């Protein structure tokens, strides 16, 4: 089936993040509960009526063409981007302009970026202990112990006292994952964690992510690594023009896509 | 089946001899082309015309002996360093210390104390840097004031209006830069704030001071500040100058730091946000350390400018290094030796500014080594 993107409605005047059909706050059983989410950049309608419920421990892979709004959507979940309509409830906390709620959510949600975004003036260990010490108020000794434990889990404990600039891309990205994990998040967001990496480093990062998936972490990954999607995803989401076009478990998604746009996209990325 | 080939790497060789050495360098850089050769020869000729007479006057035929002008007057072909020697204390420390040579140990002690306190900060592995830095910023100024002023310690009092020379230049510029740094940081952050009131205020403040010459600022500080105090309250001149200088300097510091802030990639802010760091923690731990490092050359430049510009305090009747040297050369005993006075002042200024500039280059290189690949 084919559907044309609906004409973009104009952005609402008020920035209140509530819609009548969704509960204002709630003891949602979902880890992430997004309802009626709309977002505009100026007059550009970047996210359209997004509804997405993620259960605890669920692993979701998001794919779609460039500019389809994948990054924007997951960045709304930890409020790196503001939304104008709809509700986003993360672990029972609704994201509004309330700074306290935003802080609460950010403490529980880790994020890994395409370009790592490690702090270049701090050592690997300091990168990993800064937020636990200053946000979670963990005693320094304990924070270091935790950090070393996670650095071991991503298999680079020997790099702890180096600066990020001295590491390879794959090592940097694993540090970035460890840095997020040190905050003990309940949810991890990944925005194309392997697309800035040289081919021979992609698998070391994916392996780390697979390990993490096996611990039962709730994960949302924007990635075009379809092998990863097949191996760990509970659900694959396809976005195009700011909409969620299709979502399905990986076998169904890859073997039996329902939308022509999904099919086209899959044929393009599997072609090379 | 083919056997696998093993590639043997070629060894490195040294470059050909004609590519290295002084002769090669001179050939390439001084006599590389016809115009290059002409310029080299002309420059050498100009140096030949200038240097020998200068060396003759300043060194070979110079006077340094004696304690009054008779020696110099007898040998007019050479510079009169006798004058600098006799008036050294006055030019370096001002009128009070110029006439109380037995008290010179006070500013000298204060100065060496500062050097002694600062030195450990430059030792990479020194463990108590934070504490020491706090001591220097919060406690040392009072010790220095007590020593140089004297009243708190029951020493002969050197009123601030009798401070002068290099001492005054140093006090004004170093307190000016230290006080302007936090203000400058706040203004630079304010200029990028999302809150319109704070942003407008910062822009207004920065542009106000940047658009005003320091000499005007000093003049206004001298004339306007006393208006805010009840009549009869004598408002310290040095303090007036310091307030003016700090206001002025903070605007320039803010602009230097803003440049650094703009160079920080958006991803750094986002990573800090995503980890849940609050605005101030994000700025203090992530953004400012990187931005200040980038701003070092700019901040040092403004500092060097300030250091030299302190001469403008003569507008409110304070005598810094340059003005003190000039004043000394205009005294009846030494009338006519102002060239020596200016050269000496310029020399001291130069040593200091060159030192700062070299140090900042070192600092940049050191900070770079740690963090970049
Ligand atoms: N700050 C912004 N201002 C205006 N438009 C923006 C902004 N950020 C993103 N956009 C636009 O919004 C659209 C969605 O961007 P987004 O980054 O979410 O896409 P994406 O699906 O992540 O694409 P990619 O695969 O290239 O990362 C794009 O058309 C982009 O140009
Ligand atoms: Mg993206």
């Amino acid at each position: 089936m084919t559907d044309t993107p609906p004409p973009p409605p104009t952005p609402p005047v008020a920035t209140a993040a509530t819609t009548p059909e969704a509960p204002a706050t709630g003891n949602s059983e979902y880890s992430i509960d997004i309802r009626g989410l709309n977002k505009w950049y100026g007059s550009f309608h970047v996210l359209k009526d997004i509804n997405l419920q993620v259960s605890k421990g669920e692993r979701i892979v998001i794919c779609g063409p460039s500019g389809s709004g994948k990054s924007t959507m997951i960045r709304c979940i930890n409020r790196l981007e503001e939304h104008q309509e709809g509700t986003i409830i993360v672990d029972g906390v609704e994201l509004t302009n309330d700074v306290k709620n935003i802080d609460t959510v950010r403490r529980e949600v880790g994020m890994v970026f395409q370009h790592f975004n490690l702090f270049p003036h701090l050592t690997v260990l300091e990168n990993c202990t800064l937020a636990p010490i200053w946000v979670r108020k963990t005693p320094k000794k304990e924070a270091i112990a935790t950090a070393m434990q996670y650095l071991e889990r991503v298999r680079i404990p020997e790099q702890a006292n180096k600066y990020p600039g001295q590491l390879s891309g794959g090592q940097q990205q694993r540090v970035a994952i460890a840095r997020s994990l040190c905050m003990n998040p309940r949810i991890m967001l990944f925005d194309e964690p392997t697309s800035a990496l040289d081919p021979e480093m992609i698998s070391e990062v994916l392996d780390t992510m697979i390990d993490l998936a096996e611990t039962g972490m709730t994960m949302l990954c924007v990635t075009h690594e379809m092998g990863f999607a097949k191996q760990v995803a509970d659900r694959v989401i396809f976005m195009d023009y700011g909409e969620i076009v299709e979502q399905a478990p990986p076998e169904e998604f890859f073997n039996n896509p329902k939308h022509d746009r999904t099919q086209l996209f899959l044929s393009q990325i599997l072609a090379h | 089946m083919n056997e696998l080939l093993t590639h043997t790497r070629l060894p490195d060789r040294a470059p050909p001899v004609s590519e290295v050495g002084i002769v090669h360098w001179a050939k390439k850089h001084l006599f590389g082309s016809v115009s290059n050769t002409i310029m080299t020869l002309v420059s050498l000729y100009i140096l030949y015309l200038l240097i020998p007479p200068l060396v003759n006057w300043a060194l070979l035929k110079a006077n340094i002996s004696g304690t009054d002008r008779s020696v110099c007057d007898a040998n007019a072909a050479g510079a009169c360093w006798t004058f600098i020697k006799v008036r050294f204390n006055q030019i370096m420390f001002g009128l009070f210390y110029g006439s109380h040579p037995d008290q010179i140990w006070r500013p000298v002690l204060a100065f060496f104390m500062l050097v002694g306190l600062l030195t450990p900060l430059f030792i990479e592995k020194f463990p108590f840097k934070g504490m020491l830095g706090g001591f220097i910023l919060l406690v040392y100024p009072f010790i220095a004031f007590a020593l140089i002023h004297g009243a708190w310690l029951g020493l002969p009092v050197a009123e601030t209006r009798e401070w002068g020379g290099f001492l005054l230049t140093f006090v004004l510029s170093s307190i000016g830069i230290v006080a302007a740094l936090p203000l400058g940081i706040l203004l630079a952050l304010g200029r990028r704030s999302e809150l319109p009131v704070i942003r407008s205020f910062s822009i207004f403040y920065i542009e106000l001071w940047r658009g005003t010459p320091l000499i005007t600022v000093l003049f206004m500080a001298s004339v306007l500040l006393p208006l805010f105090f009840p009549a009869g309250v004598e408002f310290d001149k040095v303090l007036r100058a310091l307030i003016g200088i700090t206001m002025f300097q903070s605007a320039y510091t803010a602009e230097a730091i803003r440049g650094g802030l703009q160079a920080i990639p958006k991803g750094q802010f986002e990573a800090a946000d995503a980890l849940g760091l609050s605005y101030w923690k994000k700025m203090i731990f992530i953004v400012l350390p990187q931005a200040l490092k980038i701003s070092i050359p700019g901040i040092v430049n403004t500092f060097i400018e300030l250091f030299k510009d302190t001469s403008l305090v003569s507008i409110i009747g304070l005598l810094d290094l340059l003005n003190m040297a000039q004043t000394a050369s205009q005294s009846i005993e030494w009338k006519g030796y102002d060239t020596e006075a200016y050269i000496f002042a310029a020399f001291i200024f130069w040593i200091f500014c060159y030192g700062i500039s070299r140090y900042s280059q070192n600092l940049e290189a050191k900070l770079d080594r740690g963090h970049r690949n």
Side-chain angles (χ1 to χ4, degrees), chain A residues 75 78 80 103 106 109 111 113 117-122 130-131 134-135 137 163 165 179-180 183, chain B residues 266-278 281 285-287 289-290 369-373:
Chain A
R75 288 157 60 89
N78 63 353
L80 288 185
D103 285 347
R106 284 179 178 168
V109 179
M111 185 165 209
F113 301 85
N117 297 354
L118 292 176
F119 306 130
H121 60 301
L122 302 177
L130 182 91
W134 291 100
V135 179
K137 313 274 181 250
Y163 286 95
R179 175 176 73 177
S180 286
M183 283 293 280
Chain B
K266 221 171 118 228
Q268 294 288 306
F269 292 83
E270 290 177 350
D273 284 339
L275 285 169
L277 292 168
S278 67
K281 285 174 189 160
F285 296 120
I286 307 301
V287 179
Q290 299 183 58
R369 190 156 18 97
H371 311 149
R372 295 280 150 96
N373 335 355

Side-chain angles (χ1 to χ4, degrees), chain A residues 150-172:
Chain A
Y150 281 114
L151 286 174
E152 251 154 59
R153 208 156 107 196
V154 301
R155 292 189 284 274
I156 34 175
E158 72 283 359
Q159 312 286 357
N161 292 314
K162 288 200 182 159
Y163 286 95
Q166 298 167 300
L167 306 185
S168 75
Q171 291 173 323
Q172 291 193 43

Side-chain angles (χ1 to χ4, degrees), chain A residues 166 232 244 256 265:
Chain A
Q166 298 167 300
V232 306
I244 293 182
N256 208 353
F265 175 74

Side-chain angles (χ1 to χ4, degrees), chain B residues 197-230:
Chain B
V197 178
I198 293 182
R199 189 173 56 237
S200 321
F201 172 80
S202 307
I203 294 179
F204 173 77
Y205 181 99
I206 292 171
E207 297 305 333
L208 176 72
W209 295 109
R210 288 214 308 159
T212 319
L214 179 57
I215 194 159
T216 321
V217 174
L218 289 170
F219 191 66
M220 289 199 302
S222 154
V223 177
L224 290 181
L225 280 175
L227 298 182
F228 298 109
F229 291 82

Side-chain angles (χ1 to χ4, degrees), chain A:
Chain A
M1 51 182 164
T2 310
D3 53 18
T4 47
T10 45
V13 185
T15 52
T18 15
T19 44
E21 69 266 23
T25 44
N27 315 338
S28 166
E29 69 271 34
Y30 295 116
S31 201
I32 301 170
D33 190 352
I34 301 176
R35 288 171 202 265
L37 170 63
N38 279 280
K39 176 172 174 60
W40 289 261
Y41 284 123
S43 61
F44 173 54
H45 199 170
V46 57
L47 292 178
K48 296 171 187 162
D49 294 322
I50 301 282
N51 286 294
L52 176 65
Q53 281 75 37
V54 182
S55 312
K56 295 199 166 68
E58 205 180 0
R59 291 156 307 211
I60 291 184
V61 162
I62 302 161
C63 59
S66 181
S68 55
K70 310 177 294 290
S71 301
T72 310
M73 183 179 83
I74 70 163
R75 288 157 60 89
C76 282
I77 296 171
N78 63 353
R79 196 68 170 192
L80 288 185
E81 303 285 350
E82 257 177 63
H83 59 284
Q84 284 97 24
E85 261 185 13
T87 48
I88 302 177
I89 300 174
V90 181
D91 240 349
V93 180
E94 180 174 354
L95 281 169
T96 58
N97 284 328
D98 187 344
V99 178
K100 232 178 74 221
N101 284 6
I102 296 175
D103 285 347
T104 312
V105 167
R106 284 179 178 168
R107 273 201 295 273
E108 302 306 331
V109 179
M111 185 165 209
V112 175
F113 301 85
Q114 180 175 2
H115 295 287
F116 331 136
N117 297 354
L118 292 176
F119 306 130
H121 60 301
L122 302 177
T123 62
V124 164
L125 190 61
E126 288 164 345
N127 264 278
C128 292
T129 54
L130 182 91
I133 291 174
W134 291 100
V135 179
R136 284 228 189 265
K137 313 274 181 250
T138 315
K140 191 170 172 193
K141 265 211 177 109
E142 202 178 306
I144 290 177
T146 312
M148 286 313 297
Q149 186 192 323
Y150 281 114
L151 286 174
E152 251 154 59
R153 208 156 107 196
V154 301
R155 292 189 284 274
I156 34 175
E158 72 283 359
Q159 312 286 357
N161 292 314
K162 288 200 182 159
Y163 286 95
Q166 298 167 300
L167 306 185
S168 75
Q171 291 173 323
Q172 291 193 43
Q173 193 61 296
R174 286 186 282 153
V175 172
I177 294 172
R179 175 176 73 177
S180 286
L181 293 177
C182 286
M183 283 293 280
N184 263 322
R186 301 201 207 152
I187 300 166
M188 283 287 285
L189 308 174
F190 293 83
D191 191 358
E192 306 206 31
T194 56
S195 29
L197 295 176
D198 291 337
E200 72 263 28
M201 295 170 189
I202 291 179
S203 66
E204 66 186 54
V205 171
L206 288 180
D207 286 347
T208 309
M209 291 169 64
I210 293 168
D211 284 353
L212 184 61
E214 280 161 6
T215 66
M217 173 77 72
T218 309
M219 289 167 72
L220 271 80
C221 312
V222 177
T223 181
H224 293 156
E225 293 297 331
M226 290 307 145
F228 174 78
K230 281 176 192 156
Q231 191 176 344
V232 306
D234 296 311
R235 200 171 4 146
V236 182
I237 289 179
F238 174 69
M239 288 185 74
D240 200 8
Y241 293 110
E243 289 176 86
I244 293 182
V245 175
E246 178 159 358
Q247 42 183 316
E251 318 81 63
E252 196 180 323
F253 182 85
F254 289 112
N255 301 333
N256 208 353
K258 304 240 163 13
H259 276 258
D260 56 349
R261 279 195 259 157
T262 318
Q263 267 170 8
L264 181 65
F265 175 74
L266 284 176
S267 66
Q268 279 165 349
I269 63 165
L270 296 176
H272 62 237

Side-chain angles (χ1 to χ4, degrees), chain B residues 183-194:
Chain B
L183 276 178
I185 290 174
L186 290 179
L187 286 166
L189 292 178
R191 193 161 187 167
R192 291 167 53 95
S193 166
E194 283 165 14

